[in-house]
């Protein structure tokens, strides 16, 4: 419990919320779906997320299903707490800014070499937009996703 701003950025209460935001924005902005909800769950003492849930509300684009989009996320994102902290630059001193006026929906920027609101920068996943489900399965099989996810 407690307030969001009071959480250490290395704790999954906070860091997982940030990476879920980035994953959902990446799926939508890359044209994989028009809406996305991404949820993660963790166990104490286990770095890899125990579950990943992706809801696209039937707005998938092209031939990909919500399950295929989940696979794309497993290929492209590492949601272990240390990896999240690194990819979103969460260990940089910046939390005065995030504590006021909301953590989400802000424009990302860099000031004096420090990245602010990095989770608002979507990753480009558009290469998956034209893939078939079989091609996504092949990409998943050829990836290192098992080092990052419990499966």
């Amino acid at each position: 419990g407690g307030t969001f701003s009071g959480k250490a950025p290395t704790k999954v209460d906070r860091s997982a919320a940030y990476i879920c935001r980035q994953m959902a924005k990446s799926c939508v902005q890359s044209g994989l779906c028009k809406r996305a909800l991404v949820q993660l769950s963790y166990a104490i003492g286990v770095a890899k997320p125990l579950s990943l849930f992706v809801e696209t509300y039937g707005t998938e684009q092209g031939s990909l299903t919500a399950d295929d989009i989940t696979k794309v996320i497993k290929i492209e994102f590492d949601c272990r707490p240390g990896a999240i902290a690194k990819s979103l630059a969460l260990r940089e001193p910046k939390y005065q800014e995030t504590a006021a006026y909301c953590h989400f929906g802000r424009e990302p920027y860099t000031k004096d070499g420090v990245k602010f609101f990095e989770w608002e920068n979507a990753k480009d996943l558009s290469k998956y937009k034209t893939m078939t489900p079989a091609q996504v399965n092949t990409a998943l099989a050829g990836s290192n996703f098992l080092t990052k996810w419990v499966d």
Side-chain angles (χ1 to χ4, degrees):
T3 63
F4 199 52
S5 294
K7 295 283 183 195
T10 57
K11 304 300 180 208
V12 293
D13 307 54
R14 186 175 193 160
S15 60
Y18 292 152
I19 199 72
C20 284
R21 169 76 173 181
Q22 188 182 50
M23 291 187 289
K25 284 186 77 160
S26 298
C27 290
V28 172
Q29 287 184 9
S30 296
L32 302 182
C33 56
K34 293 189 179 209
R35 287 181 66 196
L37 167 77
V38 180
Q39 297 176 343
L40 292 169
S41 69
Y42 293 84
I44 295 171
V46 179
K48 296 176 185 178
L50 295 183
S51 70
L52 167 65
F53 174 73
V54 179
E55 173 62 66
T56 58
Y57 306 98
T59 65
E60 305 88 10
Q61 302 297 293
S63 64
L64 298 183
T65 65
D67 187 49
D68 296 324
I69 294 170
T70 302
K71 291 172 185 173
V72 167
I73 288 173
K74 285 185 174 185
I75 296 166
E76 292 293 328
F77 291 90
D78 188 343
C79 292
R80 294 173 294 172
I84 295 170
K86 186 175 180 181
S87 71
L88 299 181
L90 296 180
R91 292 194 175 107
E92 296 175 352
K94 62 175 135 214
Y95 294 101
Q96 188 74 25
E97 290 285 324
T98 60
Y101 308 112
C102 195
H103 297 259
F104 301 110
R106 309 270 300 268
E107 284 298 316
Y109 64 92
T110 302
K111 180 175 148 187
D112 299 325
V114 177
K115 295 177 181 178
F116 291 83
F117 308 102
E118 188 63 19
W119 48 90
E120 296 295 342
N121 280 323
K123 271 184 144 180
D124 183 10
L125 306 177
S126 59
K127 69 180 181 182
Y128 297 99
K129 188 176 178 182
T130 57
M131 286 187 176
T132 64
Q135 290 171 317
V136 170
N137 283 331
T138 301
L140 181 67
S143 74
N144 67 342
F145 84 99
L146 286 176
T147 64
K148 305 179 286 188
W149 298 91
V150 172
D151 200 41

